[in-house]
Amino acid sequence: SRRGMRIAAKGMRQGYSGGATKPEIGAAMRYDELKDMIKDAMKAHDKVRLSILRQLHGEIKNIEVDERREATETDVDAMTKRLIKQTKETLEGSVKAGTNEERTETLRIQVAILEDLLPEQLSGDALCELVDATIAELGATTKRDMGKVMGVLMPKVKGRADGKLVNRLVCEKLG
């Protein structure tokens, strides 16, 4: 009813979020950092950076609107990864076509900007040490133990290493 909609709108203005919990301090900071980066890019007249940051902001805003909740740090990271993947695919197509060098260079810069936003990725040595430690901790010896190892290992590396790479390393160590 109209009255119900007015009450809901009034509640939203007063800060009631419809039962959704507020995100952790770190998550709000991360989204606020993105907004600040957009402002900085505007002030610096950096069109390439501004373009990709606005695209990321739009994707995150879609999550907030569609799911009617605040974006968390996990959402920001997931969207950043998704946008990196999409931009890399576009970059590959641009390189194959080979027609517009300026566009290709812009895409390369955008991928670099997005990758800087992600948490630091685990390097090969650090990842190998983590895999070895997890295997030793569980006493895993055969490929049959791979599920146990991956189950313990993936939460430790979540967002900091590619799952396929982790899977390959575990497979090599156990095989």
Side-chain angles (χ1 to χ4, degrees):
S1 72
R2 284 183 170 228
R3 184 177 189 294
M5 289 173 41
R6 278 196 310 253
I7 292 170
K10 182 179 177 186
M12 294 301 272
R13 283 193 303 270
Q14 293 175 348
Y16 176 70
S17 59
T21 57
K22 288 190 175 185
E24 317 83 68
I25 298 297
M29 289 292 293
R30 186 70 194 266
Y31 190 52
D32 289 341
E33 283 177 24
L34 178 62
K35 291 178 184 177
D36 290 340
M37 290 173 75
I38 290 172
K39 289 176 191 171
D40 293 342
M42 286 172 145
K43 289 176 184 175
H45 300 287
D46 187 349
K47 290 181 180 179
V48 175
R49 180 177 289 274
L50 181 61
S51 168
I52 198 68
L53 291 176
R54 277 184 173 163
Q55 191 174 352
L56 179 59
H57 182 264
E59 293 290 335
I60 294 166
K61 203 71 174 157
N62 285 342
I63 288 175
E64 289 183 334
V65 171
D66 292 345
E67 298 181 17
R68 297 178 188 206
R69 63 178 175 84
E70 295 280 329
T72 64
E73 188 171 345
T74 307
D75 293 329
V76 174
D77 284 344
M79 273 310 187
T80 304
K81 287 177 184 174
R82 191 170 122 197
L83 204 51
I84 287 173
K85 184 178 177 185
Q86 290 173 350
T87 308
K88 280 184 177 179
E89 288 172 358
T90 306
L91 175 63
E92 288 173 13
S94 181
V95 168
K96 284 181 184 176
T99 53
N100 192 345
E101 283 297 317
E102 187 177 328
R103 173 78 175 136
T104 303
E105 189 56 34
T106 301
L107 288 169
R108 281 192 182 109
I109 293 169
Q110 288 179 340
V111 168
I113 290 168
L114 288 171
E115 286 176 342
D116 286 344
L117 297 177
L118 288 176
E120 191 169 328
Q121 300 293 302
L122 288 172
S123 65
D125 294 339
L127 190 57
C128 283
E129 288 175 18
L130 196 56
V131 168
D132 290 338
T134 305
I135 289 173
E137 175 186 320
L138 296 174
T141 53
T142 65
K143 283 195 177 187
R144 287 185 178 184
D145 300 325
M146 191 165 170
K148 292 180 201 170
V149 174
M150 291 297 288
V152 172
L153 191 59
M154 287 311 289
K156 292 180 183 178
V157 300
K158 184 167 178 76
R160 299 184 304 145
D162 180 42
K164 290 179 185 176
L165 175 64
V166 173
N167 190 339
R168 187 173 53 81
L169 285 172
V170 171
C171 202
E172 287 173 6
K173 302 280 183 183
L174 293 177

